[in-house]
Amino acid sequence: MKIARDSVVLMTYRLSNAAGEVIEDALEGEPVALLQGHGNVIRGLERGLAGHEAGDRFEVIVAPLDGYGERRTDQLQRLSKKYFSDAKHLKPGMQTVLRTEQGQRRVTVVKVGGKMVDVDLNHPLAGETLHFLVNIVEVRPATAAELAHGHAHADGHDHH
């Protein structure tokens, strides 16, 4: 079965940046399951999976626009330490969770001052060209429950 909309894909992968530095290596781990065509992964990877089948091993290169977007300089903000539950432990380069009116948001700490913290709201992989080495383990039709929930269940059963 070829990967198409409404199919469940079980895959392993290795993610690297354009310089070849490995960002995440899940090639030898347990397969991750995704429901194709439902936005469960970045657009560029989802497009790159289409048409492949179990046993295929291939590379998908995703430009920033089809990944996590371009880096935006307007996403740098200076905020009071009171908005951070772990303010005394913050250090530049760390990622932390910021509580906002819209819910939690992961940010990267740029600078820590006495009362203020400079943060980058861009996704950590924004602006990066992403290189995925993908191994397709299994492709199967989605169950009714998976289609209703909009995501795959690793074993095809509903665990909600």
Side-chain angles (χ1 to χ4, degrees), residues 16-97:
S16 304
N17 62 17
E21 299 164 329
V22 175
I23 297 167
E24 187 174 355
D25 193 347
L27 202 56
E28 303 302 324
E30 286 295 313
V32 294
L34 65 95
L35 180 58
Q36 179 73 1
H38 291 260
N40 296 159
V41 294
I42 57 174
R43 181 177 39 219
L45 179 58
E46 191 166 65
R47 266 193 287 214
L49 295 174
H52 285 279
E53 56 192 8
D56 287 356
R57 188 176 180 114
F58 55 96
E59 186 173 16
V60 177
I61 299 174
V62 179
L65 185 62
D66 290 326
Y68 294 98
E70 296 290 347
R71 291 197 67 70
R72 295 177 35 197
T73 56
D74 65 343
Q75 293 296 297
L76 301 175
Q77 292 188 7
R78 178 166 287 166
L79 303 168
S80 170
K81 281 187 172 180
K82 71 180 181 181
Y83 294 109
F84 300 88
S85 61
D86 56 349
K88 62 184 171 197
H89 301 295
L90 295 177
K91 297 197 181 338
M94 288 178 65
Q95 289 186 13
T96 188
V97 175

Side-chain angles (χ1 to χ4, degrees), residues 87-146:
K88 62 184 171 197
H89 301 295
L90 295 177
K91 297 197 181 338
M94 288 178 65
Q95 289 186 13
T96 188
V97 175
L98 179 64
R99 293 181 303 247
T100 72
E101 292 177 1
Q102 293 79 34
Q104 294 185 342
R105 179 156 187 185
R106 184 164 292 281
V107 299
T108 302
V109 176
V110 176
K111 181 180 174 185
V112 180
K115 295 182 180 182
M116 305 296 280
V117 179
D118 292 350
V119 296
D120 184 347
L121 302 173
N122 286 292
H123 187 282
L125 297 177
E128 296 274 353
T129 297
L130 305 173
H131 294 252
F132 289 89
L133 176 59
V134 178
N135 179 48
I136 304 298
V137 176
E138 181 183 339
V139 181
R140 63 171 173 75
T143 65
E146 289 169 323

